[in-house]
Structures are given as structure tokens and as C-alpha cells.
Amino acid sequence: MDPFSKKLFQELEQMQQQTGRMLRSMSISRMMPMESGCWQPPVDIYEAENELYVYVDLAGVDPSQLQVTVDEQHLQISGKRQLPAQQSIACIHQLEIELGEFQRVVVLPSMVNVEAVDSTYTNGILVVTLPKRVKKGKVNIRITPGE
């Protein structure tokens, strides 16, 4: 392949990667500003037969600054991210990393068993495992005549 074609393919591949990042970051929930002024970390949700897996990108967040709350239909993640202070900064050229308070509320696609929820935080990724609530079988409901 000639150098021009090779460079063209590299540029196209780079554009494809940037477009994918842009589309992923444009989810409606992340574009809507929160009333509290908090930023919202990106979230991926996967569903297996018996559980849900929620992955939250929280690079640089101290685990002691995380709070995770769940009910049968919602998962709420909140906390604070701070970068270490640098004494010798004279000029800022680019700011993209969200800092300060954050909060993300995720509507879960199915009911979960809140007593069996588990989470791990490794390499800046919070993984919350939510077992699905076991559906009850059919229940006959007795009807009593009213007066």
C-alpha cells in the first residue's frame, strides 16, 4: 500500500474512533444538566439471565468517596472526584476531566433483589452486580363479596 493510502486509512480509522466516543458521550441523560450542578459518570448496563451488571467509569475517584444506593428499580451512585493539587501550575491548556461532586441515577430494566447486591471497584471501574428478583408464580386471589 502506498504511503498516501496508508495515511488516509489511518485518518479514517481515527475519525471512526472519535465519532464513536462522541456518540457514546451524547446520551440524553448525560446531556441534560442536573439541577444540583453535579457531573454524571458514564454507565454501561448489561443483562444476564439472572442478574444485571452496571459498570460505572469513575477513574481517579477514591473508593471512600463513593456511595451506592439501590432499591428494586433504581441504582444511585454518588461521590466526589478530586485531582491531586499541583503547586507549580502556571497555565492551563486543556480541561476535560470532570471534577467535584457527581451523581448518577440509573433506572434498572428489571426488578432486583436488593439484599443480594454486590459491588467491586477496580482500576477506576465500579461494577455493581444486581441479582434479578425471582418472579413469583401465579397467585389466586380470593374475592369476597361486598355489602
Side-chain angles (χ1 to χ4, degrees), residues 2 20 23 26 28 46 58 62 68 85 97-98 124 132 137:
D2 66 278
L23 291 173
M26 289 179 57
I28 296 297
Y46 300 92
L58 295 170
D62 182 343
V68 179
I97 299 172
E98 301 275 4
K132 292 181 185 178

Side-chain angles (χ1 to χ4, degrees), residues 14-31:
Q14 207 171 29
M15 283 176 44
Q16 182 181 15
Q17 290 173 352
Q18 289 173 345
T19 303
R21 279 190 216 107
M22 182 180 68
L23 291 173
R24 283 190 299 275
S25 69
M26 289 179 57
S27 69
I28 296 297
S29 63
R30 293 196 69 213
M31 291 191 315

Side-chain angles (χ1 to χ4, degrees), residues 12-64:
L12 288 172
E13 185 175 294
Q14 207 171 29
M15 283 176 44
Q16 182 181 15
Q17 290 173 352
Q18 289 173 345
T19 303
R21 279 190 216 107
M22 182 180 68
L23 291 173
R24 283 190 299 275
S25 69
M26 289 179 57
S27 69
I28 296 297
S29 63
R30 293 196 69 213
M31 291 191 315
M32 302 293 283
M34 294 187 66
E35 293 176 17
S36 65
C38 296
W39 62 277
Q40 295 185 350
V43 171
D44 290 345
I45 302 173
Y46 300 92
E47 184 171 356
E49 186 176 338
N50 297 316
E51 56 238 339
L52 300 172
Y53 300 99
V54 178
Y55 289 75
V56 188
D57 183 358
L58 295 170
V61 175
D62 182 343
S64 68

Side-chain angles (χ1 to χ4, degrees), residues 64-79:
S64 68
Q65 296 291 312
L66 286 174
Q67 295 86 39
V68 179
T69 309
V70 66
D71 63 32
E72 291 180 332
Q73 296 179 307
H74 301 89
L75 174 66
Q76 179 176 320
I77 302 106
S78 59

Side-chain angles (χ1 to χ4, degrees), residues 72 113 133-139:
E72 291 180 332
N113 177 1
R133 192 168 81 183
V134 178
K135 295 180 182 177
K136 307 275 192 243
K138 289 185 179 180
V139 176

Side-chain angles (χ1 to χ4, degrees), residues 9 33 46 63 67 89 92 115 129 131 145:
F9 280 120
Y46 300 92
Q67 295 86 39
I89 293 177
I92 297 172
E115 274 83 40
T129 304

